[in-house]
Amino acid sequence: MPSYLGAIGTATPPHRLAQPVIADFMAQALELDADGTRKLRALYRASGIGHRHSVLPDYGRAAGDYEFYPNTPGLEPFPTVSARMAAYRREALPLAVAAAQASLALAPGIAAESLTHLITVSCTGMYAPGLDIELVSALGLRPSVRRTCVNFMGCYAAVNALRLADTIVRAEPAARVLVVSVELCTLHFQKSHDADHLVSNALFSDGAAAALVLGQPLPGPAPCLALQAFHCGLAPEGTRDMAWHIGDTGFEMTLSGYVPALIERGIGPLVAGLLHELPVELADIRHFALHPGGRKILEAIEKALGLSPHDNRLAYQVLRDYGNMSSATVLFVLRELLATLTPADAGAKVLSCAFGPGLTLEAMLLEVCG
């Protein structure tokens, strides 16, 4: 018996910022000259992102009005890891609670105290006692709820969390698993002219998503998704092209220009591996929920799999409206998919993929159920 992805709730912090506004902040923080500012603005225009959210108001303010960064030339002294983790601890819980409550609101009859398992996902902060324990109290979960933390895996981590939830439910059909992903990527802005950091600063944003995984579909007419299969691929030649390291002034993302090409080469074998032992071919798949790591990554996937931008429209929509929220992003795409489904879609296959450090490629096959 499959497990079912029954409800997805999302939350974003209150500071919604247009890409040109963030570009102006970055140009000033990096102390760029006119030519450097022009190039940076062009990078932001080409990103496919319209707006991003941040727990920090500073990215939409002028120098002199910052709350987190110093109001000094060059933002010196630049915030340390300790300062960033203090902000994470302050901001992550309210966002995670909002996403979890939004998920539960979509699941009538599923009370918080009835949940048996909690899986938390994050790569942008950590502390102990951690977010998982704080969520138990904030949501009114039973103290005996079984907790698992998926930390520091990057953008593909939500797929790992859903795989774990699926394994739990298949072993215990009465289990009720809540997966909560919260990422505060904008805490880790790096004041560097390195091309990888410039690209990362142009893409990443903050958000949270929560999903219920159950042994049966939710009651009512709303469509849900049956989790059918998972597959992981690795492209070790990309180890240095996508990485996530802890530096003295925050977590440092490496995202090189070679990543789209690596994903273009790896996505075909990944999907073939996923479908290898299933009576399903790529041509049978009607819906796609791909992690929008960036516009060029989405275009590379389309080229490799023969998809159209329309096939990929939900990923582009999430990229445009939210940017790349690391692990939470693919759950935003799946939420948008659920919102578009009708009873006529029952039985349709869904391909979802996400990518991250390693270079890791994760895929899952889902089926729409009525």
Side-chain angles (χ1 to χ4, degrees):
M1 296 294 293
S3 66
Y4 296 88
L5 183 58
I8 300 175
T10 61
T12 52
H15 306 294
R16 181 174 180 264
L17 305 163
Q19 275 287 77
V21 172
I22 304 173
D24 288 343
F25 170 91
M26 295 294 179
Q28 184 173 23
L30 295 170
E31 300 178 295
L32 299 179
D33 60 18
D35 185 57
T37 299
R38 179 184 58 79
K39 291 177 179 177
L40 188 73
R41 288 173 176 163
L43 172 66
Y44 277 58
R45 286 195 301 270
S47 67
I49 298 171
H51 292 84
R52 289 185 278 164
H53 293 78
S54 176
V55 295
L56 302 178
D58 296 8
Y59 298 110
R61 294 183 175 181
D65 292 327
Y66 300 152
E67 292 183 9
F68 181 73
Y69 294 106
N71 287 285
T72 58
L75 308 182
E76 294 295 343
F78 208 45
T80 62
V81 171
S82 176
R84 296 170 198 257
M85 289 302 93
Y88 179 90
R89 184 164 190 172
R90 181 176 65 249
E91 302 288 352
L93 179 64
L95 206 58
V97 168
Q101 290 175 337
S103 177
L104 290 167
L106 296 171
I110 306 295
E113 58 267 23
S114 73
L115 299 178
T116 60
H117 296 73
L118 172 65
I119 302 172
T120 57
V121 184
S122 189
C123 70
T124 49
M126 59 190 75
Y127 54 95
L131 180 66
D132 57 324
I133 291 176
E134 292 183 343
L135 279 171
V136 170
S137 175
L139 295 174
L141 308 184
R142 290 179 294 179
S144 60
V145 68
R146 282 166 274 182
R147 297 175 284 111
T148 303
C149 302
V150 179
N151 294 128
F152 219 67
M153 296 188 81
C155 296
Y156 64 87
V159 178
N160 278 266
L162 291 175
R163 182 197 289 118
L164 175 57
D166 174 68
T167 300
I168 291 168
V169 170
R170 288 177 185 267
E172 304 175 44
R176 293 177 169 182
V177 185
L178 178 65
V179 175
V180 182
S181 166
V182 58
E183 301 289 12
L184 307 185
C185 304
T186 68
L187 293 179
H188 299 290
F189 159 54
Q190 294 300 304
K191 195 183 62 175
S192 165
H193 292 222
D194 182 86
D196 293 348
H197 288 149
L198 293 178
V199 171
S200 297
N201 292 339
L203 294 177
F204 286 95
S205 56
D206 301 348
L212 280 171
V213 180
L214 311 169
Q216 61 284 320
L218 287 170
C224 65
L225 298 169
L227 297 168
Q228 294 199 317
F230 295 84
H231 187 70
C232 177
L234 282 173
E237 66 272 24
T239 298
R240 296 183 179 180
D241 293 292
M242 188 182 291
W244 193 223
H245 300 291
I246 300 177
D248 293 335
T249 58
F251 299 176
E252 300 177 8
M253 166 60 75
T254 297
L255 188 62
S256 85
Y258 295 105
V259 168
L262 291 167
I263 291 176
E264 183 179 336
R265 290 201 299 269
I267 191 70
L270 176 74
V271 174
L274 173 72
L275 303 180
H276 176 64
E277 295 183 0
L278 300 172
V280 178
E281 297 181 358
L282 180 60
D284 299 324
I285 296 172
R286 285 172 45 190
H287 300 288
F288 298 87
L290 307 178
H291 168 64
R295 181 180 59 82
K296 290 184 178 180
I297 288 175
L298 293 177
E299 291 171 350
I301 295 171
E302 291 165 8
K303 182 178 178 181
L305 298 184
L307 306 182
S308 68
H310 179 76
D311 294 326
N312 227 355
R313 64 193 180 281
L314 299 179
Y316 283 113
Q317 177 182 325
V318 169
L319 181 67
R320 180 194 69 219
D321 294 342
Y322 301 100
N324 183 343
M325 299 166 285
S326 191
S327 68
T329 320
V330 73
L331 293 175
F332 273 68
V333 180
L334 286 165
R335 180 202 62 174
E336 295 299 328
L337 174 64
L338 280 171
T340 67
L341 296 175
T342 69
D345 289 298
K349 302 297 184 182
V350 179
L351 174 66
S352 183
C353 300
F355 323 96
L359 186 129
T360 303
L361 304 95
E362 292 276 0
M364 56 183 174
L365 183 71
L366 308 94
E367 181 177 289
V368 180
C369 52

